[in-house]
Amino acid sequence: MLDWQNIDTVMLDMDGTLLDLHFDTYYWLHHLPQRYADIKGVSLTQAKDVIYPKLTAQKGTLNWYCLDYWQQEFDIDIVALKKEIDHKVQLLPGTEDFLNWLTTTNKRIFLVTNAHSGSLAVKQPHARLERWLHGIYLSHDYGYAKEEQGFWAALQEDIGYDAERSLMVDDNLQVLGAAQESGIGHLLAVSEPDSQRPAQHTGDFNSVAHLGLAIPATETSIW
Ligand SMILES: [Mg+2]
């Protein structure tokens, strides 16, 4: 399905692409409201009434991914609360096989994420993604989310990729749309980003349930 011979740079999203999005959905929808209620001495319903509308209002913006923003907005230690559930950080099925295979090719492999550095700090000790990567690029460092064209211009300047020979893999279809608009030639969606939720529709984008299924068949048959 992917034209691997014509791809020399691979850009990978983190949450919902390499890592199970369950950590994040559980954190924002359950853990944070529960701990907010404990800390502020309000009911769980009151906590959700404070948290959910604010989250919804920022979706797709850099603020939505910014732990400093939420720390200020909710007056709560967002990173400390993430650490309370860091045992839930895990690779999606197929991630390890895919990255092991990818490193046997001569392709450049970059993590390209909207995740905040505080979130990366919680996840990295468990995920240890740097084992497979040639670089990690955070949209916060550019001041643009991956959904924005400014992000792709800044990334291009940093790593000098040949857009037509580059692949972006993401579970966020808005991000794939932005990557496509910026000229990235190869796009792949992940249709099962969260192990605890049903698969998502991926529209017109090529998709795999998990990255293990993106390894070329000629490679898997060797094993
Ligand atoms: Mg994602």
Side-chain angles (χ1 to χ4, degrees):
M1 180 174 54
L2 281 172
D3 184 7
W4 282 113
Q5 286 197 326
N6 287 313
I7 293 170
D8 54 29
T9 299
V10 179
M11 305 178 205
L12 302 163
D13 168 53
M14 183 169 74
D15 301 316
T17 296
L18 299 178
L19 303 188
D20 193 339
L21 195 61
H22 174 61
F23 175 90
D24 306 277
T25 38
Y26 181 83
Y27 179 79
W28 294 103
L29 298 182
H30 301 286
H31 192 65
L32 177 62
Q34 184 60 63
R35 299 290 288 119
Y36 183 94
D38 296 343
I39 292 164
K40 304 288 185 188
V42 298
S43 72
L44 182 57
T45 309
Q46 285 170 320
K48 286 179 176 174
D49 286 347
V50 170
I51 292 168
Y52 288 180
K54 289 191 177 191
L55 289 177
T56 307
Q58 296 297 332
K59 197 156 188 181
T61 70
L62 202 54
N63 280 343
W64 200 70
Y65 302 102
C66 184
L67 304 189
D68 299 325
Y69 175 83
W70 294 119
Q71 181 130 342
Q72 202 163 33
E73 197 70 12
F74 298 139
D75 185 29
I76 214 161
D77 191 341
I78 296 288
V79 173
L81 297 190
K82 283 201 173 208
K83 283 188 189 142
E84 292 175 352
I85 57 160
D86 64 358
H87 57 278
K88 282 186 175 285
V89 175
Q90 58 177 355
L91 301 178
L92 279 166
T95 292
E96 198 156 1
D97 287 344
F98 173 76
L99 290 171
N100 283 339
W101 165 73
L102 196 58
T103 52
T104 67
T105 68
N106 282 328
K107 304 179 199 310
R108 296 196 301 166
I109 311 165
F110 299 112
L111 188 74
V112 170
T113 177
N114 279 334
H116 184 267
S117 57
S119 179
L120 206 67
V122 170
K123 290 173 177 175
Q124 272 295 62
H126 299 271
R128 297 189 300 123
L129 294 172
E130 71 283 357
R131 287 178 278 173
W132 296 288
L133 302 171
H134 298 123
I136 296 177
Y137 294 87
L138 309 185
S139 54
H140 286 271
D141 293 337
Y142 297 141
Y144 296 103
K146 289 188 291 183
E147 287 89 334
E148 300 174 90
Q149 289 305 309
F151 171 82
W152 298 98
L155 184 68
Q156 167 68 272
E157 196 142 305
D158 257 359
I159 62 178
Y161 56 81
D162 176 345
E164 275 185 25
R165 295 184 58 83
S166 296
L167 165 68
M168 178 66 202
V169 187
D170 212 295
D171 63 307
N172 181 330
L173 306 184
Q174 241 188 303
V175 169
L176 289 177
Q180 188 168 39
E181 195 186 325
S182 81
I184 302 282
H186 305 264
L187 304 154
L188 183 65
V190 176
S191 62
E192 295 181 14
D194 185 327
S195 64
Q196 312 291 310
R197 292 189 153 198
Q200 63 166 341
H201 294 290
T202 55
D204 291 335
F205 294 110
N206 275 336
S207 72
V208 286
H210 63 72
L211 276 173
L213 302 171
I215 303 169
T218 49
E219 299 285 339
T220 49
S221 64
I222 296 169
W223 312 99

